[in-house]
Amino acid sequence: MIELKKPNVVILGAGYGGLMTAVRLQKFVGVNEANITLVNKNNYHYETTWLHEASAGTLHHDRVRYPIADVIDRSKVQFVQDTVVKVVPQEKRVILQNGELTYDYLVIALGFESETFGIKGLKEYAFSIANVNAARQIREHIEYQFATYHTEEEKRDERLTIVVGGAGFTGIEFLGELANRIPELCREYDVDPKKVRIICVEAAPTALPGFDPELVEYAVSLLERKGVEFKIGTAIKECTPEGIVVAKGDEVEEIKAGTVVWAAGVRGSYVIDESGFEAMRGRVKVDPFLRAPGYDNVFIVGDCSLMINEETNRPYPPTAQIAMQQGELCAKNLAVLIREQGELQPFKPDIKGTVCSLGHDDAIGVVFGKKMWGAKASFMKKMVDNRALYLIGGPSLVMKKGKFKFF
Amino acid sequence: MIELKKPNVVILGAGYGGLMTAVRLQKFVGVNEANITLVNKNNYHYETTWLHEASAGTLHHDRVRYPIADVIDRSKVQFVQDTVVKVVPQEKRVILQNGELTYDYLVIALGFESETFGIKGLKEYAFSIANVNAARQIREHIEYQFATYHTEEEKRDERLTIVVGGAGFTGIEFLGELANRIPELCREYDVDPKKVRIICVEAAPTALPGFDPELVEYAVSLLERKGVEFKIGTAIKECTPEGIVVAKGDEVEEIKAGTVVWAAGVRGSYVIDESGFEAMRGRVKVDPFLRAPGYDNVFIVGDCSLMINEETNRPYPPTAQIAMQQGELCAKNLAVLIREQGELQPFKPDIKGTVCSLGHDDAIGVVFGKKMWGAKASFMKKMVDNRALYLIGGPSLVMKKGKFKFF
């Protein structure tokens, strides 16, 4: 019996980049043109850029995720729920925790992991806004600190101190949600709001490095008005079960805190290192077609890929926006390869802007080169969030999971 | 200037007994007849008999409490929010954490505390359904265990094990709520319900000792169907940070558990011991007028008073029903003393029945000598709960905090 060999396309990860590759590819190719397999640890996709809300408890984690089955076409894409252990690119194999796959074309879209830069104790004692599991644990941990406060004979005010490591994008967005959440927690657990401290520690000389200084000023003073204390130009030296040790120049200070959330470092997946790709912190410098050096059949999209912005001579940041654009291009290029017709297109990011939320009711941003803040920026942020849903799941997903003004 | 000396009445505690004393006394006497002071740790009263629901997370703790200000008449009763340290009955003084009061008549209604009978580790590592603070901590502790489960590389199923020490009234009612709550927690945290264990350990040879055996059978098999494992005739030997050690005869077993709730022992307040009253586990054997031996002006109502049921030759159980009846009588007798007219009446409990809930949807009970179970008993339980509200706060409190069929 002779069978026409259909190429095996394997996509690792159903984050922004991987899921976008899958949903676009299932449109571009027919059932008989390729075997497409999507591998993901969970049977759901989550909005990484919304996790700070689930972590603070301002948005339920079920609002932040949706079943992968809702957006893939089962007749074209096979879904495997498993964890990727490593890729063996020389043998075109992927080793999973509970199995193995072979591929003709591979898309690695395994997302980010937390990077603690070797700071002592961070891995053990700090939380990281890494995924849905971590987010709801952070939410519950903070809530437990508040719930415990009044049960102790001797009140320990440090239970009510939350340290956020990093005033980058994630740190600031998380602070915005926390500042809104704290009054609710105080009411819930009869805690005097004056006892609560939210401290943000940032090693760089400014919050939101790279952002427009006027907007940074707006964000910082808004958060300060809501009770956040900033320690800028201050490095976390160590994290302990009791809190953190920070240093500003020669001044060393211990801050006792019931909760420490590390939001200052991300890296690509450890699977990249495990698989022997040449990489820096789990990120592979890909060619213009998003391919790993030396492997024409391995594409890397999202947080594990590294691409230099020639205008600034610095890498593009690992954002959802770029991951989705890469997924879309990757799907197009895969279709070219599968059909053996047409030409591969190089990746050209189209950065429409950046909006950083400051709670559900405020934000700052630059969109199409225009600075904005307040209600306008906050509205724009919700549009950005809804757009991610739209691009992957169309209008029905926006209706199900979208953010509108009143909820 | 000559001033007519009004007697000082001080009521310690705003639980069922103390609050009932206060609200009845404010009706019985006029503004110029007495100075009435009510002392309580919190500015709210809580329904002790509903705390198992707040602990399991099936009823919000705000549903279980109401402001004391809502039921006392400020023109007649002065409210002091403070913690009682001790009573000096020889000097008619009460020492508070932040002050001192003198009295002519004193009502001690300080409620119960947990009694661990010296079992090693229980005080340190087990929770006790003692008050609103403790209840919401238990709720959050259990939730945190579920939230943490999936964040750990190596899954620790014992996080999902909950041990309840004691199959008495509180233990059984708490198990009923827990059994209803677990499926919700499993959905919330993507936990396989098969991984969850609820284990009830009871040293006595039966659950609910003293209850009708047929009803006990109904309760136990209902809870077993909902997944509760009973270890009857089994004693807790020790509680550790990892769980408990139990023994049945010579057989010793270690049970690893993320949560241990001790619901098997109560005693009167430690203030009783501190104050030098003759007592057994903080309970004073009072005279028929509820007075402490040797002090005609000190009344003790509720869990700190001990009275023998002459029919059974055993003490009456420390119930809300009896505490409220004692409060009512105590107020009447205080009015007699204040006015120096009439005669003191002895306390005669009027036990209408006992209903033990098995979750919001089932119960067992004996009411006016009639056995009941299922929906009928469950309805009766809600009526019992509403009656406590009615007796203290009238119909408006029932409307605000009452339990009706649909919520």
Side-chain angles (χ1 to χ4, degrees):
Chain A
M1 210 172 100
I2 297 166
E3 202 183 45
L4 246 151
K5 171 86 173 72
K6 289 192 284 180
N8 284 334
V9 179
V10 172
I11 303 168
L12 306 180
Y16 293 109
L19 196 53
M20 184 60 119
T21 306
V23 299
R24 285 293 180 269
L25 191 57
Q26 73 189 3
K27 275 194 191 165
F28 295 154
V29 301
V31 180
N32 297 317
E33 290 185 289
N35 300 312
I36 307 171
T37 306
L38 174 64
V39 181
N40 198 55
K41 198 174 178 174
N42 308 302
N43 61 3
Y44 55 82
H45 163 88
Y46 54 84
E47 303 294 311
T48 306
T49 62
W50 305 10
L51 286 177
H52 61 284
E53 295 168 85
S55 304
T58 46
L59 188 69
H60 192 270
H61 60 261
D62 280 338
R63 288 290 315 274
V64 163
R65 62 179 177 175
Y66 53 81
I68 290 167
D70 282 7
V71 293
I72 59 169
D73 177 346
R74 294 258 179 177
S75 71
K76 289 182 183 169
V77 178
Q78 191 173 357
F79 176 65
V80 173
Q81 188 178 344
D82 207 338
T83 301
V84 179
V85 177
K86 75 188 249 193
V87 177
V88 190
Q90 301 84 355
E91 302 171 16
K92 301 184 185 176
R93 284 193 305 140
V94 178
I95 299 167
L96 308 176
Q97 218 159 62
N98 305 303
E100 222 182 284
L101 295 169
T102 58
Y103 61 80
D104 296 298
Y105 300 107
L106 181 70
V107 180
I108 301 179
L110 289 166
F112 75 94
E113 298 189 40
S114 179
E115 171 64 70
T116 54
F117 305 114
I119 299 172
K120 202 178 149 192
L122 268 188
K123 226 174 167 166
E124 293 81 3
Y125 307 119
F127 295 93
S128 157
I129 305 176
N131 49 45
V132 168
N133 289 330
R136 60 192 174 191
Q137 192 194 24
I138 294 170
R139 178 192 75 197
E140 289 305 317
H141 175 83
I142 294 172
E143 190 143 359
Y144 187 63
Q145 298 303 312
F146 276 73
T148 301
Y149 184 70
H150 277 305
T151 65
E152 290 174 314
E153 200 76 17
E154 212 171 307
K155 305 272 173 282
R156 294 176 52 210
D157 288 358
E158 62 263 31
R159 281 205 184 277
L160 310 174
T161 297
I162 303 169
V163 167
V164 176
F169 211 84
T170 308
I172 293 291
E173 290 202 320
F174 181 52
L175 288 166
E177 299 300 324
L178 265 188
N180 285 347
R181 176 73 175 134
I182 294 303
E184 290 174 16
L185 284 171
C186 287
R187 274 194 301 278
E188 176 81 2
Y189 297 103
D190 307 317
V191 166
D192 178 356
K194 288 192 211 83
K195 302 263 183 203
V196 181
R197 288 180 74 188
I198 308 177
I199 302 168
C200 177
V201 181
E202 169 60 58
T206 173
L208 289 172
F211 235 72
D212 178 276
E214 204 186 12
L215 294 178
V216 174
E217 171 67 26
Y218 179 93
V220 167
S221 51
L222 180 134
L223 291 172
E224 282 179 339
R225 273 201 312 282
K226 290 189 171 188
V228 177
E229 304 166 42
F230 281 93
K231 291 185 179 286
I232 299 293
T234 305
I236 294 185
K237 290 295 173 194
E238 190 184 342
C239 187
T240 70
E242 277 79 43
I244 54 163
V245 178
V246 299
K248 186 173 187 167
D250 290 341
E251 251 177 87
V252 175
E253 189 193 351
E254 192 193 343
I255 302 173
K256 296 204 171 196
T259 308
V260 178
V261 177
W262 176 245
V266 296
R267 49 161 291 143
S269 168
Y270 282 102
V271 170
I272 294 288
D273 309 303
E274 279 299 303
S275 309
F277 292 106
E278 198 181 305
M280 274 178 57
R281 300 193 192 283
R283 301 184 79 191
V284 177
K285 203 171 162 192
V286 293
D287 74 10
F289 308 103
L290 303 173
R291 292 179 299 194
Y295 299 102
D296 272 5
N297 61 340
V298 176
F299 296 81
I300 306 184
V301 303
D303 302 336
C304 296
S305 80
L306 188 86
M307 216 171 204
I308 300 296
N309 180 346
E310 280 170 13
E311 281 173 42
T312 62
N313 204 26
R314 293 183 55 198
Y316 285 107
T319 65
Q321 188 176 192
I322 288 180
M324 284 190 291
Q325 290 176 5
Q326 290 181 331
E328 174 132 33
L329 179 87
C330 189
K332 274 186 196 152
N333 282 342
L334 282 169
V336 166
L337 291 169
I338 289 164
R339 293 183 176 153
E340 296 175 22
Q341 56 177 235
E343 254 182 51
L344 294 186
Q345 301 295 318
F347 178 66
K348 285 204 186 68
D350 169 22
I351 297 174
K352 297 180 198 321
T354 312
V355 189
C356 177
S357 75
L358 306 165
H360 69 98
D361 45 0
D362 214 325
I364 53 172
V366 179
V367 181
F368 298 121
K370 233 187 121 205
K371 287 203 273 184
M372 52 179 69
W373 56 87
K376 194 173 168 185
S378 184
F379 175 78
M380 192 56 84
K381 180 74 183 182
K382 290 183 179 64
M383 289 305 99
V384 169
D385 287 347
N386 292 342
R387 191 162 185 274
L389 295 169
Y390 181 81
L391 287 172
I392 289 178
S396 73
L397 191 61
V398 176
M399 289 314 293
K400 241 191 270 179
K401 297 282 174 176
K403 293 180 175 176
F404 305 99
K405 207 169 172 192
F406 298 107
F407 64 70
Chain B
M1 210 171 98
I2 295 166
E3 201 183 45
L4 245 151
K5 171 84 173 76
K6 289 192 287 180
N8 285 333
V9 178
V10 173
I11 303 168
L12 306 180
Y16 293 110
L19 196 54
M20 184 60 120
T21 307
V23 299
R24 284 294 180 269
L25 190 58
Q26 73 189 5
K27 275 195 191 164
F28 295 154
V29 301
V31 180
N32 297 318
E33 291 185 292
N35 300 313
I36 307 171
T37 306
L38 174 64
V39 181
N40 198 55
K41 198 174 176 173
N42 308 302
N43 61 2
Y44 55 83
H45 163 88
Y46 55 84
E47 303 294 311
T48 306
T49 62
W50 306 9
L51 287 176
H52 61 284
E53 295 167 85
S55 303
T58 47
L59 188 69
H60 191 269
H61 60 261
D62 280 338
R63 289 291 315 274
V64 163
R65 62 179 177 174
Y66 54 82
I68 290 167
D70 282 7
V71 294
I72 59 168
D73 177 347
R74 293 258 178 177
S75 71
K76 290 183 182 168
V77 178
Q78 191 174 357
F79 176 66
V80 174
Q81 187 177 345
D82 207 338
T83 301
V84 179
V85 176
K86 75 188 250 194
V87 177
V88 191
Q90 302 83 356
E91 303 171 15
K92 300 184 185 175
R93 284 193 303 139
V94 178
I95 299 168
L96 308 176
Q97 218 159 61
N98 304 303
E100 222 182 284
L101 295 169
T102 58
Y103 61 81
D104 296 298
Y105 299 107
L106 181 69
V107 180
I108 301 179
L110 289 166
F112 75 93
E113 298 189 41
S114 177
E115 170 65 68
T116 54
F117 305 113
I119 298 172
K120 202 177 150 191
L122 268 188
K123 225 174 167 167
E124 293 81 3
Y125 307 119
F127 295 93
S128 157
I129 305 176
N131 49 47
V132 168
N133 289 330
R136 58 192 174 191
Q137 192 194 24
I138 294 170
R139 177 192 75 196
E140 288 305 317
H141 175 82
I142 294 171
E143 191 143 359
Y144 187 63
Q145 297 303 312
F146 276 73
T148 301
Y149 183 70
H150 277 306
T151 66
E152 291 174 315
E153 199 77 14
E154 212 171 308
K155 304 273 172 282
R156 295 177 51 210
D157 288 358
E158 61 263 33
R159 283 208 182 274
L160 310 173
T161 298
I162 303 169
V163 167
V164 176
F169 211 84
T170 308
I172 292 292
E173 289 202 321
F174 181 53
L175 288 167
E177 299 300 323
L178 265 188
N180 285 348
R181 175 73 176 134
I182 295 303
E184 289 174 16
L185 284 171
C186 286
R187 273 194 301 276
E188 176 81 3
Y189 296 104
D190 308 317
V191 166
D192 179 356
K194 289 193 210 83
K195 302 265 184 200
V196 180
R197 289 180 73 188
I198 309 177
I199 303 168
C200 176
V201 181
E202 169 61 58
T206 172
L208 289 171
F211 234 73
D212 178 276
E214 204 186 11
L215 294 177
V216 174
E217 170 67 26
Y218 179 92
V220 168
S221 51
L222 180 133
L223 291 172
E224 282 180 340
R225 272 201 311 281
K226 289 189 172 189
V228 177
E229 304 167 43
F230 282 93
K231 290 185 181 287
I232 299 295
T234 305
I236 294 185
K237 290 294 171 194
E238 189 184 341
C239 187
T240 70
E242 275 81 43
I244 54 163
V245 178
V246 298
K248 186 172 190 170
D250 292 339
E251 251 177 88
V252 175
E253 189 192 351
E254 191 190 346
I255 302 173
K256 296 206 170 194
T259 308
V260 178
V261 177
W262 175 245
V266 296
R267 48 162 292 144
S269 168
Y270 282 101
V271 171
I272 294 289
D273 309 302
E274 279 298 302
S275 308
F277 293 106
E278 198 181 305
M280 274 179 56
R281 301 193 192 282
R283 301 184 79 189
V284 177
K285 203 171 160 190
V286 292
D287 75 9
F289 308 102
L290 304 173
R291 291 180 299 196
Y295 299 101
D296 273 4
N297 61 340
V298 177
F299 296 81
I300 306 183
V301 302
D303 302 337
C304 295
S305 80
L306 187 84
M307 217 172 202
I308 300 296
N309 180 346
E310 282 172 10
E311 280 173 42
T312 61
N313 205 27
R314 292 184 55 199
Y316 284 107
T319 66
Q321 188 175 191
I322 287 180
M324 284 190 289
Q325 290 177 6
Q326 290 180 331
E328 174 132 32
L329 179 85
C330 188
K332 275 185 195 153
N333 282 342
L334 282 169
V336 167
L337 292 167
I338 290 163
R339 292 182 175 154
E340 296 175 21
Q341 57 177 235
E343 253 182 49
L344 293 187
Q345 301 295 319
F347 178 66
K348 286 205 184 68
D350 169 21
I351 296 174
K352 298 180 198 319
T354 312
V355 189
C356 176
S357 76
L358 305 166
H360 69 98
D361 46 359
D362 214 324
I364 52 172
V366 179
V367 180
F368 298 121
K370 232 187 120 206
K371 287 204 273 186
M372 52 179 69
W373 57 88
K376 193 173 172 185
S378 184
F379 175 79
M380 192 56 85
K381 179 75 184 182
K382 290 184 179 63
M383 289 304 100
V384 169
D385 286 347
N386 291 342
R387 191 162 186 276
L389 295 169
Y390 181 81
L391 287 172
I392 290 178
S396 72
L397 191 61
V398 176
M399 289 313 294
K400 239 190 272 181
K401 297 283 174 177
K403 292 180 178 178
F404 305 99
K405 206 168 172 194
F406 298 108
F407 67 71

